[in-house]
Amino acid sequence: ALDALAVTKGPGLSGSLLVGTTAARTLASLWQKPLIGVHHTLGHLTSPWLEHTEEPIFPIITLSASGGHSDLWYRTGHTKGVLLGQTRDDAAGEAFDKGAALLGLTYPGGPAIEKAGKNGDKNAFAFPLPLHRADTLDFSFSGLKTSLKYTIRDLPDENVTPVLADLAASYEQALCNHLLDRLKKALEQQSDVKEIHVVGGVSANATLRSLVESTFDHITVRFPQNITYCTDNAAMIGSAGFFLVENYGDKAYEPFTTAASLPLSAVVRNT
């Protein structure tokens, strides 16, 4: 009972993308169904519509943060909008992973740091707030990672064990504060925004969720309904495929090339 198939065309790991798109092309051919190539990030942007209880209202500011990207979008439709800011170096999830490695924690770093810092003091260690005074909505996480490295270096014998919970909590708070700071500035610039969405793997972080909800209590805030929809999943690609067809009709079925690198300019259209 399928009308079409949707598959991630990129960006991502070449091997994974080739396996996925080859399987999708084969099934589309066997079943004589049209195929939709979806930009990975567009999948994340549409994830709040999965199992939603109320229809979100545009325009929307969406923070999309994961291990591979950290982007800020102003969206006027499911597949329309503009990119407001993006990371200049590490992505948020990558900063969690690298921080966890410095702390001797496991991969993936986000859940590991969240668990280690659960009972820690988030104010025990001071970390910088990147680009706070800069006239930009871009992100930068490399300085936070470096700050953590030097903080560990200055501990007695570089032993993090006695203060692991405090370090993890403070580092997690700093990362979340940077994401929150970008959202605040974006909302100041876009006064017509009706909702804020936070998507991607990092949107599963409890500290980030709490900070965003408490800070923006005057506006509707949405996260993916299920934690499963925060991380990479097939449902969000199906959701994005649906909206591509809804917005562009048969053009959504145009042939595509599988690509490990795809520009963010290809995620949404600005008209």
Side-chain angles (χ1 to χ4, degrees):
L2 295 174
D3 294 313
L5 286 83
V7 65
T8 304
K9 63 181 179 181
L13 299 174
S14 296
S16 301
L17 291 169
L18 287 172
V19 169
T21 53
T22 299
R25 292 180 197 279
T26 302
L27 290 173
S29 177
L30 287 172
W31 297 343
Q32 294 297 292
K33 301 292 183 180
L35 182 63
I36 310 161
V38 175
H39 193 294
H40 176 85
T41 298
L42 182 60
H44 281 298
L45 296 185
T46 60
S47 61
W49 273 262
L50 296 167
E51 298 185 23
H52 67 79
T53 55
E54 297 178 7
E55 188 68 20
I57 302 172
F58 294 102
I60 294 167
I61 284 181
T62 302
L63 167 65
S64 182
S66 73
H69 64 273
S70 292
D71 321 313
L72 199 58
W73 302 86
Y74 173 79
R75 299 167 62 213
T76 55
H78 293 291
T79 63
K80 298 179 176 67
V82 294
L83 178 65
L84 298 176
Q86 59 186 307
T87 186
R88 297 181 176 182
D89 38 63
D90 294 342
E94 189 179 4
F96 270 115
D97 292 338
K98 291 181 177 179
L102 289 170
L103 293 169
L105 300 173
T106 57
Y107 178 90
I113 286 179
E114 185 174 1
K115 181 179 180 181
K118 186 175 181 179
N119 297 315
D121 180 0
K122 63 183 180 182
N123 299 311
F125 294 91
F127 292 105
L129 183 59
L131 302 176
H132 178 57
R133 300 188 183 281
D135 186 22
T136 179
L137 290 175
D138 284 349
F139 303 86
S140 176
F141 295 95
S142 61
L144 286 170
K145 176 196 65 181
T146 301
S147 180
L148 175 62
K149 180 180 178 180
Y150 289 152
T151 298
I152 293 172
R153 180 200 63 182
D154 294 338
L155 293 173
D157 300 322
E158 297 187 16
N159 182 13
V160 304
T161 301
V163 291
L164 177 59
D166 291 346
L167 268 176
S170 298
Y171 185 67
E172 177 186 45
Q173 185 75 18
L175 287 175
C176 292
N177 281 341
H178 183 32
L179 295 172
L180 186 70
D181 184 60
R182 303 294 88 185
L183 277 173
K184 285 180 180 178
K185 288 196 171 186
L187 202 61
E188 290 171 358
Q189 295 179 13
Q190 308 292 338
S191 59
D192 61 340
V193 169
K194 298 294 190 295
E195 299 190 9
I196 292 174
H197 292 185
V198 183
V199 302
V202 178
S203 70
N205 182 272
T207 296
L208 178 61
R209 287 183 172 231
S210 177
L211 282 172
V212 172
E213 289 176 336
S214 61
T215 301
F216 303 106
D217 57 358
H218 61 291
I219 189 171
T220 299
V221 174
R222 296 185 197 271
F223 302 88
Q225 289 287 323
N226 191 310
I227 293 295
T228 304
Y229 300 143
C230 295
T231 53
D232 297 348
N233 63 89
M236 70 182 191
I237 301 303
S239 175
F242 173 85
F243 290 124
L244 285 169
V245 174
E246 184 177 72
N247 290 171
Y248 304 116
D250 289 344
K251 288 185 177 181
Y253 304 129
E254 292 178 349
F256 62 87
T257 300
T258 304
S261 297
L262 281 177
L264 287 174
S265 58
V267 177
V268 296
R269 302 186 186 187
N270 57 15
T271 57

